[in-house]
Amino acid sequence: MTVEEAIRGRYSIRGFLPDPVPQSTLNNVFELAQWAPSGTNIQPWQVYVASGDTLVTLREEFKRRARAGEKGHPDHSDSGKMGELWRQRRRDCAAALYDAMGIEWEDKAGRAAAAFRNFEMFDAPHVAFLCMHENFGKSSAADVGMYAQTLMLALTAHGLASCAQGTMGHHPQLVRDTFGIESEVKLLFGISFGYEDTSVPANATRTSRAPLSESVVFRD
């Protein structure tokens, strides 16, 4: 698989097979991700991978809190402000997902069930929680973003699927307690991963990309 094939072939998966990924493959994937770039090579990412019983326990607690309507308390949050261009892109993404799942926009119960799948981690056998120490700021968060992309491409190259999830950052203290992480380490988001379940309708979702002219300026 070429780099271009991995980039164009990667897409968010919302339904995984229960089969765990062999530890040898996990070692290869995460070793490859370690080669992600970072400013002055500080490598600020700290990654915690939940599998097996640990993941089952976390999943059940995420689901319980979601059902109870418990509000998340993420370590990092944005202002929530978004211009119309970006709101429309988000709406288009949601429409593509609902269309693949056969959910009408007016079907609030169906949309809620689709949203709840996030807290089920889409039945993934593994979830990686991406963190960084509180001493680091936005530039280092960008480094973690580059690590995440490298990790997801490494997963793709090894025949694995993934879905980056902001919802995995909703309950950071739960994750810290599970892994015994010190309070100074802050959670950004998670990535569910494993083998794709091709029978899941949501996995047929495909999104487009904006034309180059909307994002990139070339000037001689």
Side-chain angles (χ1 to χ4, degrees), residues 159-180:
L160 299 167
S162 62
C163 185
Q165 294 185 255
T167 49
M168 292 299 95
H170 282 196
H171 303 292
Q173 194 55 51
L174 170 62
V175 176
R176 278 191 286 269
D177 290 343
T178 297
F179 284 94

Side-chain angles (χ1 to χ4, degrees), residues 36-49:
S38 59
T40 62
N41 198 34
I42 60 173
Q43 305 168 60
W45 48 81
Q46 292 181 237
V47 185
Y48 301 87
V49 182

Side-chain angles (χ1 to χ4, degrees), residues 5-102:
E5 288 170 338
I7 292 172
R8 293 186 181 275
R10 189 216 65 80
Y11 49 89
S12 296
I13 290 301
R14 296 177 175 86
F16 295 87
L17 295 171
D19 312 49
V21 178
Q23 187 61 48
S24 59
T25 302
L26 293 179
N27 292 343
N28 289 337
V29 166
F30 282 86
E31 172 62 30
L32 188 56
Q34 280 295 108
W35 290 92
S38 59
T40 62
N41 198 34
I42 60 173
Q43 305 168 60
W45 48 81
Q46 292 181 237
V47 185
Y48 301 87
V49 182
S51 310
D53 291 341
T54 297
L55 181 54
V56 169
T57 301
L58 275 171
R59 178 181 285 124
E60 289 305 311
E61 184 59 17
F62 266 89
K63 288 162 55 179
R64 185 197 68 76
R65 295 185 185 194
R67 288 194 186 101
E70 291 188 25
K71 186 177 180 181
H73 298 281
D75 288 328
H76 301 276
S77 60
D78 56 36
S79 65
K81 298 178 181 178
M82 188 180 298
E84 180 56 30
L85 171 64
W86 298 281
R87 279 198 297 267
Q88 186 58 51
R89 289 177 183 172
R90 184 165 62 182
R91 287 192 290 264
D92 290 343
C93 179
L97 175 61
Y98 297 147
D99 183 62
M101 299 177 72

